[in-house]
Amino acid sequence: MMRLRMGPWFIACVLSILFVAKGTVTYVHAESGPSAQTSVLPKPTNLKVLPMALSLPDVYTRMAQMQKDLGVDCSFCHDQDPDSKQINYASDENPRKETARAMMRMTQDINEKYLGTLGDRQYSPPITCGNCHLGQMHPPQFEGK
C-alpha cells in the first residue's frame, strides 16, 4: 500500500492561517513568535478544469483530496525542477497533468450528468477520484469472484 507523502510546503499550507489580499495569499506558518515566517503565494493560474473564481484555499483543499485519493504528491501531476525541487503549478510540461484534467472532467460528468439526474442524492453521493483509485496511483484491477 502506497503511503501519502506530504512535503513541508503542503503541511505548512494546511496548518497555516490563510489571508487573501490583493490577488495573493499571505500565510503565516503554524509557529508563532519572532521566528514565525510569512510567505506570499500568487493566485492560481492555468486552471482549465477548476473554476477560475475558486479561492486559493479551495484549490488547496481539492488538490489535497486528490493527493489522498491517489496516494501521490504534487509532483506526480505538476512539473518539478529536478535541481531546486520547486514545483511549477502552472506548467503543462508533465503529461500526467492533462490525464488528471481528463479524469476530473469525467468525474464532473458522472456527478452532474448521471448521478445528478437521480433526484434523491442520499443514495447517489458525488464520486471522487478515490472511488476508483482507492488511494493508489492507478486504479486497482477488479478481480471478480
Side-chain angles (χ1 to χ4, degrees), residues 2 4-7 9-10 63-64 66-67 70-98 100 137:
M2 178 170 283
L4 178 63
R5 295 182 307 161
M6 290 187 270
W9 182 87
F10 179 77
M63 292 294 121
M66 284 186 243
Q67 282 185 306
L70 277 68
V72 298
D73 60 18
C74 300
S75 65
F76 184 74
C77 295
H78 295 283
D79 190 40
Q80 183 177 30
D81 182 277
D83 298 324
S84 69
K85 303 296 183 207
Q86 291 287 355
I87 295 177
N88 181 347
Y89 294 100
S91 171
D92 287 331
E93 289 299 312
N94 188 335
R96 291 184 188 131
K97 188 173 186 180
E98 197 54 45
M137 192 177 304

Side-chain angles (χ1 to χ4, degrees), residues 80-131:
Q80 183 177 30
D81 182 277
D83 298 324
S84 69
K85 303 296 183 207
Q86 291 287 355
I87 295 177
N88 181 347
Y89 294 100
S91 171
D92 287 331
E93 289 299 312
N94 188 335
R96 291 184 188 131
K97 188 173 186 180
E98 197 54 45
T99 301
R101 286 177 174 146
M103 293 294 189
M104 291 168 65
R105 287 182 192 104
M106 176 189 68
T107 302
Q108 287 175 347
D109 283 350
I110 291 170
N111 284 324
E112 294 169 9
K113 295 179 183 177
Y114 302 101
L115 297 178
T117 64
L118 296 177
D120 187 354
R121 293 304 298 260
Q122 177 182 351
Y123 302 107
S124 60
I127 66 162
T128 68
C129 305
N131 286 85

Side-chain angles (χ1 to χ4, degrees), residues 42-79:
K43 286 186 76 165
T45 57
N46 198 21
L47 296 179
K48 294 183 178 176
V49 178
L50 295 176
M52 287 298 290
L54 207 58
S55 72
L56 189 58
D58 288 339
V59 170
Y60 286 144
T61 299
R62 290 189 186 193
M63 292 294 121
Q65 182 65 48
M66 284 186 243
Q67 282 185 306
K68 180 181 165 193
D69 288 350
L70 277 68
V72 298
D73 60 18
C74 300
S75 65
F76 184 74
C77 295
H78 295 283
D79 190 40

